[in-house]
Amino acid sequence: MSSTLTRPAPVGDAAVRDAVAPRRRTRIFALPEARWAAAALVLFLIALPLYLLGAPAWSWGPLFALTYATGGWGPGWAGLQALREKTLDVDLLMVVAALGAAAIGQALDGALLIVIFATSGALEAIATARTADSVRGLLDLAPTTATRLLDDGSEETVPTEQLAVGDTILVRPGERIGADGRVLDGAGEVDQATITGEPLPVAKQEGDEVFAGTLNGTGALRVKAERDPSDSVIARIVGMVEEASETKAPTQLFIEKVEQRYSIGMVAATVALFALPLLFGAALQPTLLRAMTFMIVASPCAVVLATMPPLLSAIANAGRHGVLVKSAVVMEQLGQIDAVALDKTGTLTEGTPRVTDIRPLATSGLSEEELLRIAAAAEHPSEHPLARAVVDAARVRELDIPVVEGFTSAPGTGVTATVEGKAVAVGSPARLLSGPDDHPAAVVAARLEDEGRTAVLVEVENTPVGVLGIADRLREEAAATVTALTGLTGSTPMLVTGDNPRAAARLAEEVGITDVRAGLLPQDKVTAVKELEQAGRKVLVVGDGVNDAPALAAAHTGIAMGRAGSDLALETADAVVVRDELATVPTVVALSRRARRLVVQNLVIAAVFITGLVIWDLTGTLPLPLGVAGHEGSTVIVGLNGLRLLADGAWRRARTGNGQ
């Protein structure tokens, strides 16, 4: 092996940049939609008390006018641009309705409409910006430079985009791998959770595949690039997230059609109600008054509030209980799901390895505590996740961990050290054991591995004395969550994981899952989700890692676990379980179904009021004050009905009632 492999890694800006990917986040008020909506809201809140207290019109009139200008020019301009494409959208209709209300002295109604729609547009812009931020942040996982080895043995630092298939690169300890490829020489342990979701670093040696953007922990690797940088796994993840995000437009086709028909019909009716009487000699002022009254009572304020209060109340209630739902659209979509795909590591499990079994051999004469104490002493200087699990287990039992001498670490093999004068080795049974397969230590290790554990052998003076079993511990609420989701959707969730099939099957058996898809790369998870969608299912994906992000984006709805979730997963998902409580997932789905039922109730109430007031205005003489009272009354009723979901009792009923 060349001395190049043991040369220390460079220390400098590039090393720091590769070790910690910077996070790019668009500031909220950097978005013009957010600035204009905030300005409109502030102006409205200043004018409102003046108006309600009967202050002179000169005190609140200019403030309402500025509210119209700041909050309405954006939707109005967008509506005018849509008109150029022969499309009439509801945003323009609301601006016209607001101006019509102001024209007949109902400035408050119009200003409220403006504020509602400006705020909605700002939230949509923020969500779009966050998605773009997360995709750019994913690109930062891949290093910007790589060390390319030349034919004469020399090195050169090149931008990763200049790497070509067949190039050989050197990856030192602590560096991110610059290209998808295969190990030519060297040994190391690579943290590839960003790609596969595996909770533990994976030992890599000659012939093993590695991925761009994954982190080399120990040892140095010579890697032959086998894919162009633009075709790497991480680049494909970016592409899939972007593609899936684009297909999830905020306004669905059906809603667009309804808006078009309603907008065209309302405008046509208002114009007809104003123009036709004038043609037959009616007076201008009463005709205008009737037309504007129609515009007020037919405006969709009550319809807007029929939908938003239940969904926003459900969002607020879920937020109090640790679930961040990113929009009202998401809250509505959660209630539509009829299939679930669950990630394993960090979702059904805690994402942290723990010692689950301590098996001293009968011939060793050691107790469980003595075996754990020796192993923890040898592992104490190591930074490996398995080593930390062993040391943590010893600390939980309050064992005295002695100081060691002569500590060494071999990537993919284990550690050696002198503990109280004796040589102790802790590591992989496959690497440390050289005896027959029926050796007691080999039998115990095989049994633990069959149960989904990672087996760790402990030797004293080259003699096996025991085996430790380490696993990513199952969440206490995992089985109950699977049962609840099965009841909500009518089918058992699917397990999709990058972990090995044996560990996945073991966990699935524990929680009651029968459909297991293991050893999956990110694109494979997307394929599994799309198979369900092609069968007509609306899929909820629950995950936590970068490797889950494409599936989260491609699904009907995605929920990310918050505590250990990657930035990309948190940004791509439609909802985030902030407190990392898996049991809240079926509860928020059930709460969404309750919110959807209230939306239907409110739409019926709004339709009855609007229809009744419109008929009265068309067939009789509806006094403007009565029309405004009826219009505002229906708005208050549907608003209060929707606010029922703010109560803690709504969350408890959703948790215990399964949303039925």
Side-chain angles (χ1 to χ4, degrees), residues 548-584:
D548 299 317
L552 289 168
H556 178 73
T557 314
I559 296 180
M561 304 301 293
R563 183 180 301 167
S566 70
D567 286 349
L568 183 68
L570 299 182
E571 298 292 359
T572 304
D574 300 300
V576 178
V577 181
V578 179
R579 299 175 189 168
D580 222 40
E581 297 173 355
L582 185 62
T584 59

Side-chain angles (χ1 to χ4, degrees), residues 588-645:
V588 76
V589 172
L591 186 67
S592 170
R593 294 189 175 185
R594 292 178 180 271
R596 283 167 53 82
R597 288 199 293 271
L598 283 187
V599 167
V600 173
Q601 291 176 15
N602 283 348
L603 287 173
V604 171
I605 293 171
V608 168
F609 269 85
I610 291 175
T611 303
L613 292 171
V614 166
I615 291 175
W616 190 348
D617 185 55
L618 293 177
T619 60
T621 302
L622 175 62
L624 178 59
L626 188 57
V628 171
H631 176 263
E632 296 300 329
S634 65
T635 300
V636 171
I637 290 173
V638 298
L640 292 176
N641 191 38
L643 293 178
R644 290 163 50 196
L645 291 184

Side-chain angles (χ1 to χ4, degrees), residues 247-539:
T247 61
K248 297 176 72 171
T251 307
Q252 301 299 323
L253 182 60
F254 175 75
I255 300 300
E256 291 176 353
K257 290 180 180 179
V258 171
E259 288 177 347
Q260 278 293 295
R261 292 172 182 173
Y262 183 85
S263 301
I264 294 172
M266 182 176 172
V267 169
T270 303
V271 171
L273 193 60
F274 176 64
L276 291 178
L278 290 180
L279 293 177
F280 290 95
L284 175 62
Q285 185 171 352
T287 302
L288 177 60
L289 183 61
R290 170 172 286 193
M292 287 299 95
T293 301
F294 174 83
M295 178 72 80
I296 294 296
V297 299
S299 71
C301 263
V303 175
V304 171
L305 289 179
T307 303
M308 297 306 292
L311 298 175
L312 294 179
S313 297
I315 289 172
N317 202 335
R320 289 204 309 269
H321 292 87
V323 183
L324 172 62
V325 180
K326 294 186 177 180
S327 72
V329 173
V330 173
M331 179 54 76
E332 187 176 15
Q333 289 177 338
L334 279 168
Q336 300 171 345
I337 62 106
D338 56 11
V340 180
L342 298 170
D343 175 46
K344 171 182 171 289
T345 304
T347 301
L348 289 174
T349 68
E350 295 178 350
T352 303
R354 298 176 185 270
V355 174
T356 57
D357 302 86
I358 305 173
R359 306 283 181 87
L361 299 182
T363 56
S364 69
L366 298 176
S367 66
E368 289 187 3
E369 286 75 13
E370 290 170 334
L371 175 63
L372 180 59
R373 177 175 175 271
I374 298 171
E379 294 276 29
H380 190 268
S382 174
E383 292 298 321
H384 193 283
L386 292 182
R388 291 196 294 271
V390 174
V391 174
D392 289 344
R395 287 174 174 164
V396 167
R397 296 191 180 207
E398 299 182 348
L399 301 180
D400 177 36
I401 302 176
V403 178
V404 302
E405 299 176 349
F407 172 83
T408 59
S409 176
T413 300
V415 302
T416 58
T418 301
V419 181
E420 298 178 333
K422 296 181 179 180
V424 176
V426 182
S428 167
R431 302 292 176 88
L432 295 180
L433 279 176
S434 56
D437 292 341
D438 60 353
H439 188 284
V443 173
V444 173
R447 186 179 301 119
L448 288 174
E449 290 175 348
D450 287 340
E451 294 175 353
R453 273 55 162 177
T454 297
V456 176
L457 179 69
V458 182
E459 290 185 343
V460 177
E461 299 292 353
N462 295 321
T463 301
V465 295
V467 182
L468 304 178
I470 299 178
D472 186 8
R473 190 164 65 183
L474 185 70
R475 293 178 187 268
E476 293 181 359
E477 67 272 28
T481 298
V482 169
T483 300
L485 289 171
T486 301
L488 283 166
T489 62
S491 60
T492 305
M494 173 195 296
L495 179 63
V496 289
T497 177
D499 213 343
N500 67 79
R502 188 164 51 186
R506 176 70 180 180
L507 179 137
E509 182 181 357
E510 290 185 46
V511 299
I513 293 178
T514 56
D515 189 355
V516 180
R517 313 286 179 92
L520 304 183
L521 289 174
Q523 58 266 35
D524 301 323
K525 292 187 177 184
V526 173
T527 300
V529 170
K530 288 186 175 179
E531 286 177 2
L532 288 174
E533 291 179 338
Q534 289 170 359
R537 312 296 292 275
K538 293 183 178 179
V539 186

Side-chain angles (χ1 to χ4, degrees), residues 100-176:
I104 59 172
Q106 302 299 322
L108 176 61
D109 281 2
L112 180 59
L113 276 178
I114 289 294
V115 169
I116 290 174
F117 275 80
T119 303
S120 175
L123 292 176
E124 183 178 331
I126 291 169
T128 302
R130 287 289 187 257
T131 300
D133 291 343
S134 64
V135 174
R136 288 196 301 269
L138 176 59
L139 290 172
D140 289 330
L141 286 174
T144 57
T145 61
T147 302
R148 182 163 58 189
L149 300 179
L150 304 180
D151 293 339
D152 60 4
S154 61
E155 304 174 7
E156 65 173 353
T157 301
V158 298
T160 51
E161 61 266 20
Q162 292 184 10
L163 293 175
V165 176
D167 283 349
T168 301
I169 60 175
L170 172 65
V171 186
R172 296 184 173 90
E175 292 184 342
R176 290 191 180 272

Side-chain angles (χ1 to χ4, degrees), residues 69-88:
T70 55
W73 83 268
W77 178 248
L80 292 175
Q81 289 180 314
L83 279 179
R84 295 176 58 186
E85 303 297 327
K86 299 181 180 179
T87 300
L88 183 63

